[in-house]
Amino acid sequence: MHKFWTLLLLLLVPTILFAQKTRTVKGQVCTVTENKDGKEPLPYASVVILTSKDSTFVKGAASDANGHFNLQFIPQKGTEYLLKTSYTGMQSVFHKLDDQSSTINFGSILLKEGIELGEVTVKGQIREMDQVGDTTVINATAYKTPEGSYLEALVKRIPGMEYDSVNKTLKYNGLPIKEINVNGEPFFAGDNRMALENLPANIISKIKVYDKKSKLEKLTGVKTGDENYVLDLQTKEEFNGTLLASGKAGYGNNNKKDFDLQGNYFQKNGNNLSVMAHSGNLDMKTSYKDNIQENVAMNFMKKFSEKLSINGNLMYYHNNQGSESSTYNEQYLTSGNKYQYSAGDNANRSRNMNATMGLSWQIDTMTFVHVFGNFSLIRNNSTNNSRQATFNENPHLNILDPFSGIDHVPDDQKINDIAMNSLMQGNQQRYSFHANIMRRLNKKGSSIGLTAQYNSNKGENENYSISSTTYYQLKNSAGKDSVLYRNQYSSSLSPNREQGIGLMFVHPFTKQLRSQLSYNFNYSKQQDDRNTYDLSTFMEETEEKVGFLPPGYEAHYIDSLSNRSHSSTLQHAVDFYLNYSDTIWNINLGLSVQPERRTLDQKTGLQRADTAIHSVGFRPTLRVSWQKRKNRLTLSYFGNTWQPSLQDLISPTNNSDPLNITRSNPNLKPTYDQYFRLEAQNTDKGIFASLNLQNRINSQTRAVTYNQQTGGRETYPVNINGNWSAGSMLRYQKRIKSFGINANAGSNLSQNVGLINENQTEQPERSTTHNTGLNSELRFSYQPKWGNFELNGRWNFQQSSNSLLETNTYTRNYSFGLNTFADLPGSIQLKTDANYSFRNGTNIKKGDDDQLVWNASVTWRFLKKKQAELSANWVDILSQQKNYYRGTMADGLYERHTQQIGSYFIISMKYRFNQPLRK
């Protein structure tokens, strides 16, 4: 440990010595107005420091939402400098930096409207991406999208963005985007889908990507939490202060529909109001006929002054979706692999209402308050009808329809065959409250703070299941295959609550070096009560419809499958953080120590567990960032101690599912998870590279005891070492006039370790799976005035090997695509995209998964200002789209196929209008 602190001191000393020569330039950028003050803050203006001799760029930044800026640079002896302040459509202002003081305060810098020119054409290459401090600034206008596109169409074109259109998740350079902001303020915070599917792409000028500080971190100036990367969308000036409204109605074959109403109002200072309603199923491509997604939502941000603001949102969702799918699973065992095929359909209907509200208030120059609350109500209803069968030899059934040929498989190859119908109904209520109060103690910036929180979560669930299990290797008294019938009903109630309070002290040693010491006390209480009933004696009454409770069912209570669980956790946390920041270095160092006491009182049948456990967790963090001009290098380390759950430590054996019995292990140790990441970037040359490594010490996995006769599994948690993963990525992008190229390549390596106890021995077999992945992508684009033309190609290779039987499997995926649109005379736009993909590998028949997905649309815009449009969209013209996924685990591999609806078309009418409002 003393070597670590010595190394950190060596890093900080030269930096602090440099900081002694640092010069700070600050002020506020304003625009001339006719109000009583004669000026108004100008957010996100460009402020740069240049050398006087040749205007060489030295340092730059954008003013914040209130027009304020603060730049730090290290002046060179004998060099004169200029401060340039500029904004689109306004005259730039220059100031000499001849004051030798360590801090130069310009106060208010006024920018005036620029001189209106006649016909002037300025030609220049659009810069796609820039790095300003720790913020990546993406020029949205460099990526053309068809008229009427939304944000999700834009992010698909940006290098480094990884968009999952199914789960609506977004990553940038491998890091998850947790929040989307508009002009620096939250937009439906926590629900990125609302922004991706509803924000028009044409109103966005720039996209900023950065690690956003929480309200508390902004007040203290100390970064303490996890990484919180956000997309901050900057709206175009012409749309600020304008009501953007639109309505859309569309209908097509296969019961396709698309209805949409929305209104958006944004201001450059962050004020916003959005109201939207939507009903449709365009993105739902499974064969379930009742697919529908409906929502009504509102989001607002109101700044009454620089000292007081409120924000919040209200959302209502109704989703009805289902699918038909089939799965192939291969389990690795020492005596020979076991093979499982399954098929079924499921449907889920959910209703969700969610409301959030936040208030930020600067009571005076020394006191700050932030309050946040959330409430949600969720109702779910899901049904599942499935069948699965396990074999000791691979019968090579058709994975898309496995049970059409099962009758031809000899019984001596079958282990079990299970048919099940189930219904789950649930209600859940959640609400939370958080409050932060900060008080500055002196002008230097020393502060104390108080935090408080309260969370409550109450869930009620009902589960019905009817199953029939045939055991082919286990004979009954008559010498025939054993059959187990089950008809069960269970209800559960799980109220949980958590409350906590914390105290912190922040002390700035210098302008660059700040520290924070905090103490937090948290107490939580959990309850999970489950009652199970046997409805087998009512088989005739319930078999036709799952979910019927016959009179007198209470008398058939099953004590051995019911459960009473009450637990509590009392935790103390002592945290220390040290932050250093100057014009070149940014260093964040932290350590959290978390002693806790946990209790559990659980009863299952006649078995009972009642105990208290004491443990200590550690959470170290280190992030070092170096930046000079357009070069940036970042090293991150995160560690965390995970305590095993009380249920895994001392919970009684659960045999409610005879083929999946679970039990606990009182000898479990805590798991320590550590993560390394190294990033390098040069925005001038368009190069980005990253390397990451994750390793788990005492990783928790589940050892498997396999029953050869029934095909059942009994699992229990154990600690094991050897689980790790590593990945790398290299990206290059370049634009030459209207042509662009983007290339990236990546790799991933991982090792997953599990334990298989096939023969009921004391020492299980170690099952180790090595995974190797390689991927590459090449994209060419051409953006003439009349549209966009893009070609892309992707290649992915995945290889997996297992130690038990020295199995080796691989998959190669290839994809080639075309994406283009053209604006034609008569206000007509044609758009088409096509993607051809195929794959080969282990157990993949040639040509089975080849597909060419081709989509096309035509749009006609009319009326005086082209505010109305009529469009026709044809999706999957050739009806070849498929949905499949293959993955590997420590003890096997699996592949899942989901049926798709095929080709469909939809005709839509849309009307939009923009109305400037008083700002």
Side-chain angles (χ1 to χ4, degrees):
M1 181 60 71
H2 72 278
K3 293 181 180 180
F4 173 81
W5 288 108
T6 303
L7 177 60
L8 180 63
L9 183 62
L10 291 175
L11 284 172
L12 290 178
V13 168
T15 311
I16 295 174
L17 292 177
F18 270 116
Q20 295 174 355
K21 301 178 182 180
T22 300
R23 185 175 300 170
T24 301
V25 182
K26 61 182 181 179
Q28 183 183 31
V29 184
C30 299
T31 180
V32 178
T33 61
E34 296 180 357
N35 59 21
K36 61 180 181 178
D37 297 327
K39 61 183 180 180
E40 180 182 331
L42 190 61
Y44 315 116
S46 173
V47 185
V48 297
I49 297 174
L50 310 171
T51 59
S52 298
K53 183 178 180 180
D54 54 8
S55 297
T56 300
F57 176 86
V58 177
K59 188 72 174 180
S63 62
D64 63 18
N66 295 315
H68 294 287
F69 67 90
N70 189 311
L71 282 174
Q72 294 178 330
F73 73 105
I74 301 176
Q76 303 297 320
K77 188 176 181 180
T79 303
E80 296 181 349
Y81 297 92
L82 291 173
L83 180 71
K84 178 185 177 182
T85 310
S86 59
Y87 195 88
T88 304
M90 296 187 176
Q91 296 178 1
S92 299
V93 174
F94 293 85
H95 290 87
K96 288 186 177 181
L97 300 179
D98 49 9
D99 190 336
Q100 300 303 312
S101 303
S102 60
T103 300
I104 305 174
N105 190 344
F106 282 99
S108 297
I109 299 176
L110 297 177
L111 299 187
K112 299 180 180 180
E113 295 289 340
I115 300 173
E116 186 174 340
L117 301 178
E119 296 182 0
V120 177
T121 301
V122 180
K123 293 184 178 181
Q125 183 173 323
I126 299 177
R127 190 178 184 85
E128 294 181 343
M129 198 171 295
D130 202 356
Q131 190 72 30
V132 180
D134 59 356
T135 301
T136 301
V137 181
I138 301 167
N139 189 348
T141 58
Y143 305 96
K144 296 182 68 174
T145 56
E147 184 71 23
S149 298
Y150 293 103
L151 177 61
E152 62 178 345
L154 176 60
V155 298
K156 291 177 182 178
R157 286 172 159 79
I158 297 176
M161 290 286 182
E162 304 171 44
Y163 178 56
D164 184 342
S165 58
V166 177
N167 300 311
K168 304 298 179 181
T169 58
L170 190 62
K171 292 182 179 180
Y172 182 66
N173 292 332
L175 299 171
I177 299 297
K178 298 181 180 180
E179 186 178 311
I180 294 180
N181 292 179
V182 177
N183 294 331
E185 301 298 341
F187 186 83
F188 291 102
D191 191 345
N192 292 348
R193 180 173 185 167
M194 294 300 297
L196 290 164
E197 294 184 346
N198 294 283
L199 280 180
N202 68 322
I203 71 170
I204 302 169
S205 62
K206 294 180 181 179
I207 299 177
K208 296 181 178 181
V209 186
Y210 54 88
D211 184 8
K212 183 180 181 180
K213 294 181 179 180
S214 67
K215 289 287 186 181
L216 188 59
E217 290 171 337
K218 289 180 180 179
L219 293 175
T220 63
V222 180
K223 179 69 176 177
T224 61
D226 295 329
E227 292 178 323
N228 180 35
Y229 282 92
V230 302
L231 286 191
D232 190 354
L233 312 175
Q234 309 298 300
T235 55
K236 294 178 181 177
E237 182 63 27
E238 60 265 32
F239 292 110
N240 290 327
T242 299
L243 174 62
L244 311 173
S246 66
K248 181 180 181 180
Y251 197 81
N253 66 332
N254 283 323
N255 199 30
K256 287 297 178 181
K257 59 191 72 173
D258 185 22
F259 300 97
D260 184 84
L261 288 171
Q262 63 174 272
N264 294 296
Y265 177 76
F266 301 109
Q267 289 184 333
K268 56 189 176 184
N269 67 351
N271 283 343
N272 64 70
L273 175 64
S274 294
V275 179
M276 50 194 65
H278 178 262
S279 175
N281 54 15
L282 285 186
D283 295 329
M284 307 174 78
K285 299 180 180 179
T286 64
S287 55
Y288 184 63
K289 65 178 182 179
D290 294 327
N291 281 335
I292 193 71
Q293 293 178 335
E294 299 173 318
N295 62 70
V296 179
M298 180 187 71
N299 183 85
F300 72 93
M301 174 71 193
K302 176 60 178 177
K303 295 182 177 180
F304 298 97
S305 66
E306 293 186 5
K307 297 182 179 181
L308 179 63
S309 65
I310 61 171
N311 71 283
N313 58 65
L314 177 66
M315 294 178 284
Y316 170 78
Y317 288 100
H318 169 231
N319 291 334
N320 195 14
Q321 56 186 350
S323 64
E324 295 182 42
S325 60
S326 54
T327 304
Y328 165 78
N329 189 299
E330 183 174 338
Q331 183 181 7
Y332 303 139
L333 295 172
T334 54
S335 62
N337 293 350
K338 296 297 182 286
Y339 307 87
Q340 185 182 90
Y341 289 84
S342 63
D345 60 82
N346 66 83
N348 180 68
R349 183 178 182 181
S350 64
R351 298 178 184 273
N352 179 10
M353 186 178 71
N354 183 78
T356 64
M357 180 73 75
L359 179 146
S360 296
W361 182 23
Q362 181 179 341
I363 299 176
D364 53 39
T365 57
M366 307 293 282
T367 309
F368 305 86
V369 176
H370 176 67
V371 180
F372 175 83
N374 173 265
F375 170 79
S376 65
L377 177 64
I378 304 171
R379 293 183 177 180
N380 286 313
N381 184 305
S382 62
T383 60
N384 181 68
N385 303 308
S386 63
R387 182 182 179 184
Q388 70 177 43
T390 307
F391 308 87
N392 53 34
E393 295 182 19
N394 192 348
H396 298 287
L397 301 175
N398 179 4
I399 190 174
L400 299 179
D401 188 13
F403 296 102
S404 61
I406 194 173
D407 293 338
H408 302 291
V409 180
D411 284 354
D412 59 358
Q413 293 185 17
K414 300 177 182 178
I415 298 177
N416 60 47
D417 192 339
I418 308 169
M420 176 179 287
N421 296 333
S422 64
L423 167 66
M424 189 279 288
Q425 297 173 331
N427 297 320
Q428 191 171 45
Q429 297 180 15
R430 302 174 184 170
Y431 57 90
S432 61
F433 172 82
H434 300 264
N436 306 317
I437 302 175
M438 290 295 300
R439 174 73 179 179
R440 288 182 180 171
L441 302 177
N442 50 47
K443 293 182 179 180
K444 189 176 181 180
S446 297
S447 306
I448 59 172
L450 180 67
T451 65
Q453 64 170 339
Y454 182 84
N455 303 305
S456 177
N457 184 355
K458 182 180 179 181
E460 297 180 64
N461 292 285
E462 293 182 300
N463 291 273
Y464 303 82
S465 64
I466 299 176
S467 64
S468 172
T469 304
T470 302
Y471 299 104
Y472 290 93
Q473 307 300 319
L474 187 65
K475 303 300 179 181
N476 60 18
S477 57
K480 297 182 179 181
D481 299 332
S482 295
V483 181
L484 173 65
Y485 294 101
R486 276 198 168 184
N487 187 348
Q488 290 183 353
Y489 162 72
S490 66
S491 63
S492 62
L493 178 66
S494 54
N496 304 314
R497 69 174 184 269
E498 177 185 6
Q499 52 265 337
I501 191 170
L503 183 67
M504 70 181 67
F505 174 70
V506 180
H507 178 67
F509 296 103
T510 66
K511 291 183 179 180
Q512 292 78 28
L513 185 63
R514 304 174 70 89
S515 67
Q516 177 178 310
L517 179 66
S518 64
Y519 165 77
N520 290 276
F521 171 82
N522 288 279
Y523 177 76
S524 62
K525 191 172 183 179
Q526 302 83 33
Q527 179 179 338
D528 186 7
D529 294 340
R530 185 180 72 246
N531 298 312
T532 304
Y533 304 87
D534 183 11
L535 305 183
S536 299
T537 56
F538 305 97
M539 205 71 173
E540 293 183 0
E541 301 176 46
T542 60
E543 63 182 359
E544 293 184 1
K545 183 179 180 181
V546 178
F548 173 73
L549 278 179
Y553 76 92
E554 296 90 345
H556 297 267
Y557 178 79
I558 309 175
D559 187 69
S560 61
L561 299 183
S562 300
N563 179 72
R564 298 287 185 276
S565 178
H566 300 257
S567 61
S568 65
T569 301
L570 190 153
Q571 183 188 77
H572 306 269
V574 179
D575 305 333
F576 176 74
Y577 296 96
L578 191 66
N579 283 188
Y580 177 84
S581 179
D582 65 13
T583 57
I584 298 177
W585 292 92
N586 193 311
I587 302 174
N588 299 325
L589 175 67
L591 176 64
S592 178
V593 182
Q594 302 164 347
E596 65 181 19
R597 178 181 183 270
R598 296 182 294 166
T599 64
L600 175 68
D601 183 1
Q602 184 172 12
K603 181 178 181 296
T604 301
L606 299 177
Q607 302 181 66
R608 183 170 182 176
D610 187 0
T611 189
I613 297 175
H614 295 266
S615 59
V616 179
F618 300 90
R619 189 179 184 184
T621 62
L622 174 64
R623 189 181 187 194
V624 180
S625 178
W626 172 88
Q627 181 172 342
K628 195 169 184 180
R629 296 186 183 275
K630 299 302 178 183
N631 298 301
R632 182 176 176 83
L633 190 66
T634 303
L635 172 65
S636 303
Y637 170 81
F638 301 97
N640 197 14
T641 303
W642 300 93
Q643 302 294 338
S645 70
L646 293 172
Q647 286 74 18
D648 284 336
L649 283 169
I650 54 175
S651 179
T653 300
N654 184 349
N655 59 359
S656 57
D657 183 350
L659 294 182
N660 287 285
I661 300 173
T662 62
R663 57 185 176 89
S664 58
N665 179 4
N667 299 314
L668 284 178
K669 300 177 182 178
T671 298
Y672 184 72
D673 199 357
Q674 51 187 347
Y675 175 78
F676 301 85
R677 182 177 175 88
L678 179 64
E679 295 180 2
Q681 185 174 15
N682 183 296
T683 52
D684 270 346
K685 297 182 179 179
I687 297 175
F688 176 87
S690 68
L691 179 66
N692 61 77
L693 173 65
Q694 185 172 10
N695 179 41
R696 288 186 174 178
I697 301 172
N698 289 329
S699 176
Q700 184 176 311
T701 187
R702 300 197 71 85
V704 180
T705 301
Y706 187 79
N707 189 313
Q708 295 278 12
Q709 289 184 312
T710 66
R713 294 152 52 101
E714 181 175 342
T715 66
Y716 56 94
V718 294
N719 291 118
I720 198 166
N721 289 311
N723 286 303
W724 56 267
S725 63
S728 63
M729 191 264 283
L730 176 64
R731 187 182 75 243
Y732 172 76
Q733 62 187 84
K734 182 71 173 178
R735 177 177 292 275
I736 303 175
K737 295 183 179 180
S738 298
F739 295 89
I741 181 174
N742 173 246
N744 64 71
S747 64
N748 58 80
L749 302 171
S750 66
Q751 178 175 284
N752 299 317
V753 183
L755 295 177
I756 303 293
N757 193 343
E758 188 176 350
N759 299 312
Q760 311 288 328
T761 60
E762 292 185 4
Q763 185 61 41
E765 291 280 346
R766 186 180 175 96
S767 175
T768 303
T769 300
H770 292 275
N771 295 299
T772 302
L774 300 171
N775 62 82
S776 62
E777 179 181 1
L778 186 61
R779 187 192 307 172
F780 294 98
S781 64
Y782 172 55
Q783 295 186 354
K785 294 180 180 180
W786 48 263
N788 179 79
F789 183 85
E790 181 181 285
L791 288 172
N792 62 74
R794 298 181 181 91
W795 172 75
N796 179 277
F797 171 78
Q798 295 290 332
Q799 186 265 344
S800 175
S801 61
N802 183 266
S803 61
L804 284 182
L805 291 176
E806 299 182 353
T807 59
N808 196 320
T809 63
Y810 74 94
T811 306
R812 296 191 189 97
N813 292 280
Y814 303 85
S815 175
F816 304 94
L818 165 69
N819 193 323
T820 183
F821 71 88
D823 296 318
L824 305 179
S827 300
I828 295 176
Q829 183 181 84
L830 294 178
K831 181 174 64 173
T832 186
D833 63 89
N835 188 83
Y836 175 68
S837 62
F838 63 95
R839 64 175 186 159
N840 55 45
T842 307
N843 296 332
I844 299 176
K845 295 181 180 179
K846 184 177 180 180
D848 277 2
D849 297 324
D850 296 3
Q851 63 179 11
L852 174 60
V853 180
W854 177 26
N855 309 310
S857 68
V858 58
T859 301
W860 174 49
R861 293 179 178 85
F862 55 98
L863 298 184
K864 185 177 180 180
K865 296 182 179 181
K866 309 301 180 186
Q867 65 266 47
E869 66 178 46
L870 179 66
S871 62
N873 191 20
W874 195 355
V875 178
D876 191 15
I877 297 174
L878 304 178
S879 290
Q880 291 191 13
Q881 186 166 12
K882 301 171 184 176
N883 186 322
Y884 49 78
Y885 179 79
R886 170 178 284 202
T888 58
M889 301 171 292
D891 61 350
L893 65 88
Y894 66 96
E895 182 161 4
R896 181 182 180 88
H897 288 248
T898 303
Q899 291 187 18
Q900 300 294 283
I901 195 173
S903 176
Y904 67 88
F905 69 87
I906 185 168
I907 297 176
S908 305
M909 173 69 78
K910 183 176 182 180
Y911 180 82
R912 61 178 180 270
F913 69 92
N914 301 339
Q915 177 63 48
L917 302 178
R918 181 178 297 177
K919 299 183 181 181

